[in-house]
């Protein structure tokens, strides 16, 4: 299955047409996760951390990822907010170092001022875990001609896992995404990706229901992203307490997502995902 995303600014690998640039790809693309959060700055200083982040993004590109998602603020359950200037200090040097190298750069942020500066520095796409709820975020993306990934989250990161509840999780999440997509497009955002937000204000049952209902979401006109990489649901299912040990479970969830039409999977173990998806594609081609 072919997927496409429209931009109103030049993007590596995209085709130019009268209304802008369209990036298209066959099957499920990988979005590699590049976190530039404090731990990565704690030893070796900022220079070493920047070099390591840039090297990691280059390795992901060589492995075959289509997008690299740069994040300067953790959105894990219980995470404390980071001021905009600190987030910018973390992400801007990485964007500047990578822009022009041929990777599509996504920036994971909830703040309009961070999104605006990131796009001005050469990022191409905004990944907003609050689904462009903030009208200023919609205006920033529209002005820069950048599409956005709209994610569903119940509550906010600090408290979202306390007591998530829904009357009908699938209907509520899909309904929310369609409303946010309409609002974003009406505000002039060139295109959107939809993401049900695995682990964001959801119990294991909610996450599984959303993953099982993927065929409904992927039937619609917008590309769908799934981000299950190293998340707690894998611990609940398979008893894997340490996040860094959860890549096999992440792959299983993402291969399921790919089989059911996900256009993008967001992953830490980016090269392993590219490899597994290529094998699955070869099997399906027969
Ligand atoms: N999950 C995280 C962050 N950003 N963006 C999208 N679109 N979908 C997701 O599922 C998603 C996301 C997870 O939180 P974080 O604390 O940033 O951890 P990591 O980036 O290491 O996954």
């Amino acid at each position: 299955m072919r997927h496409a995303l429209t931009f109103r600014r030049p993007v590596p690998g995209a085709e130019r047409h009268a209304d802008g640039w369209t990036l298209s790809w066959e099957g499920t693309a990988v979005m590699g996760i590049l976190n530039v959060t404090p731990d990565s700055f704690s030893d070796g200083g900022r220079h070493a951390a920047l070099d390591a982040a840039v090297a990691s993004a280059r390795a992901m590109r060589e492995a075959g990822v289509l997008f690299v998602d740069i994040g300067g603020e953790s959105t894990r359950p219980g995470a404390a907010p980071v001021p905009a200037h600190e987030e910018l200090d973390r992400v801007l040097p990485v964007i500047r170092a990578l822009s022009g190298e041929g990777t599509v750069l996504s920036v994971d942020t909830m703040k309009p001022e961070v999104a605006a500066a990131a796009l001005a520095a050469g990022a191409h796409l905004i990944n907003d875990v609050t689904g462009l709820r903030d009208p200023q975020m919609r205006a920033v993306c529209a002005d820069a001609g950048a599409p956005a990934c709209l994610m569903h989250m119940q509550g906010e990161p600090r408290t979202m896992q306390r007591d998530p509840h829904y009357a009908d999780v699938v209907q509520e999440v899909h309904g929310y995404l369609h409303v946010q997509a309409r609002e974003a497009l009406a505000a002039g955002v060139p295109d959107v990706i939809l993401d049900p937000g695995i682990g964001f204000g959801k119990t294991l049952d909610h996450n599984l229901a959303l993953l099982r209902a993927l065929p409904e979401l992927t039937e619609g006109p917008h590309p769908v992203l799934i981000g299950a990489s190293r998340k707690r649901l894998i611990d609940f299912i398979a008893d894997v307490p340490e996040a860094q040990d959860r890549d096999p479970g992440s792959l299983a969830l993402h291969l399921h997502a790919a089989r059911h039409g996900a256009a993008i999977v967001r992953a830490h173990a980016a090269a392993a995902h590219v490899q597994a998806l290529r094998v699955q594609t070869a099997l399906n081609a027969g």
Side-chain angles (χ1 to χ4, degrees):
M1 189 180 174
R2 214 155 171 85
H3 302 283
L5 198 60
T6 298
F7 299 71
R8 262 184 241 105
R9 58 194 351 243
V11 170
E15 220 172 277
R16 177 139 209 201
H17 51 82
D19 294 331
W21 286 259
T22 296
L23 181 69
S24 66
W25 64 97
E26 190 60 41
T28 307
V30 175
M31 174 182 275
I33 299 172
L34 190 66
N35 280 329
V36 277
T37 41
D39 328 356
S40 44
F41 287 121
S42 59
D43 50 347
R46 278 187 184 248
H47 253 302
L50 174 61
D51 289 349
V54 169
S56 161
R58 288 180 182 147
M60 288 195 248
R61 193 192 62 215
E62 269 157 40
V65 309
L66 186 55
F67 306 90
V68 169
D69 189 37
I70 304 162
E73 177 179 38
S74 177
T75 47
R76 286 210 184 85
V82 174
H85 68 87
E86 178 65 43
E87 203 180 325
L88 281 169
D89 279 353
R90 295 175 186 178
V91 300
L92 284 183
V94 181
I95 296 166
R96 289 193 186 114
L98 293 173
S99 90
E101 288 199 359
T103 308
V104 184
L105 301 176
S106 157
V107 174
D108 189 346
T109 187
M110 307 182 248
K111 298 190 190 76
E113 58 270 53
V114 174
L119 291 167
H124 305 102
L125 167 75
I126 294 301
N127 175 24
D128 179 12
V129 297
T130 64
L132 297 194
R133 253 183 250 165
D134 180 345
Q136 268 195 66
M137 275 298 250
R138 299 199 279 267
V140 165
C141 292
D143 289 349
C149 178
L150 312 182
M151 199 196 77
H152 174 275
M153 163 165 60
Q154 188 177 78
E156 44 118 11
R158 208 197 282 262
T159 53
M160 65 190 178
Q161 286 307 108
R162 271 187 204 154
D163 181 27
H165 57 272
Y166 301 82
D168 179 332
V169 67
V170 171
Q171 226 177 47
E172 283 176 47
V173 171
H174 290 188
Y176 170 87
L177 291 175
H178 289 128
V179 168
Q180 293 309 108
R182 248 198 330 268
E183 297 245 333
L185 296 171
V189 178
D191 208 349
V192 293
I193 300 164
L194 305 184
D195 177 355
I198 299 304
F200 283 84
K202 283 140 195 135
T203 63
L204 173 61
D205 284 347
H206 295 143
N207 288 317
L208 290 176
L210 287 165
L211 288 163
R212 290 182 186 123
L214 253 184
E216 276 173 46
L217 192 60
T218 58
E219 238 171 42
H222 303 297
V224 171
L225 181 149
I226 292 294
S229 192
R230 299 186 181 171
K231 288 193 175 165
R232 283 283 300 285
L233 81 155
I234 299 165
D235 181 24
F236 293 138
I237 296 168
D239 190 18
V240 193
E242 297 300 328
Q244 69 269 19
D245 297 333
R246 297 179 192 151
D247 289 332
S250 311
L251 274 168
L253 293 168
H254 287 155
L255 289 176
H256 163 90
R259 262 195 314 277
H260 294 289
I264 306 169
V265 290
R266 181 181 178 277
H268 297 90
H273 275 74
V274 171
Q275 185 185 124
L277 285 163
R278 282 181 183 159
V279 170
Q280 177 159 280
T281 304
L283 285 166
N284 291 344

